[in-house]
Amino acid sequence: MTGINIMYSSSHFGSIKGSGLQAMEASCKFERIVMKKLPFHFLKVQLENFGAKRSGAMDADQFKFVVLKALRELHGDIGAAIAVHVIEYQRETNEAILQVPSDGLVKVWSALTMYSKHGEKPCHFKVSKVSPHLASMSADSRKFMTELLKPSLG
């Protein structure tokens, strides 16, 4: 567990004179903010195949296989042993939300970044969001504004 301690003292208010200083000192208290290390991170990734036909889009299992292949190519068997789960997969866009252990986040992210060929065809992963909170994956301010403006435009 990591913590950030913030402490205010009268030295911060040394230039203030009179009874206002005592009132400020009384209102300033020790504050501790504790941030726990969360066990998982979530990545929103998209696999872009160059030269591949869209009709032959892959399913969630094939997508996970490609992710594990990327891990194995860059980090060997140790990388392939990282528990990666596909939480949601959109077949039309080849976009998925992956759940990875926080300890393996950097390895997964680097493997996806370095992956450049699927079979003999060039491709790449595009990581669009990373967060320790799954709820933040659903919110997208760009799409939200577009959806908000649609009724007024039509």
Side-chain angles (χ1 to χ4, degrees):
M1 211 155 58
T2 61
I4 301 170
N5 295 328
I6 302 170
M7 189 166 192
Y8 300 102
S9 67
S10 61
S11 64
H12 290 101
F13 308 107
S15 61
I16 301 172
K17 302 200 188 245
S19 63
L21 178 61
Q22 284 110 9
M24 288 182 87
E25 283 180 351
S27 67
C28 293
K29 303 212 185 298
F30 179 81
E31 180 180 341
R32 182 174 179 172
I33 302 169
V34 178
M35 298 170 33
K36 293 182 181 177
K37 181 180 175 193
L38 297 172
F40 297 105
H41 269 75
F42 300 91
L43 290 92
K44 190 171 200 176
V45 299
Q46 181 178 18
L47 177 62
E48 294 184 358
N49 292 328
F50 301 109
K53 297 176 183 172
R54 291 309 282 157
S55 61
M58 57 181 67
D59 62 3
D61 291 333
Q62 292 170 329
F63 190 89
K64 183 176 179 177
F65 175 78
V66 174
V67 171
L68 292 176
K69 184 179 176 191
L71 278 163
R72 185 177 304 275
E73 283 184 9
L74 189 63
H75 300 293
D77 290 338
I78 301 297
I82 296 173
V84 176
H85 301 287
V86 177
I87 302 295
E88 181 184 333
Y89 178 69
Q90 295 178 354
R91 189 179 188 128
E92 302 82 34
T93 59
N94 268 354
E95 192 172 46
I97 296 177
L98 304 176
Q99 178 189 21
V100 300
S102 293
D103 296 338
L105 174 66
V106 174
K107 284 184 181 175
V108 173
W109 200 343
S110 62
L112 295 178
T113 302
M114 298 302 293
Y115 192 71
S116 61
K117 270 192 180 178
H118 181 57
E120 292 300 317
K121 299 193 172 146
C123 69
H124 78 273
F125 279 99
K126 185 166 75 173
V127 179
S128 57
K129 281 187 183 179
V130 178
S131 175
H133 306 287
L134 182 58
S136 66
M137 292 294 153
S138 65
D140 186 0
S141 62
R142 292 178 186 152
K143 288 181 182 176
F144 176 73
M145 287 307 291
T146 311
E147 294 296 320
L148 189 64
L149 294 174
K150 271 186 186 177
S152 65
L153 296 175

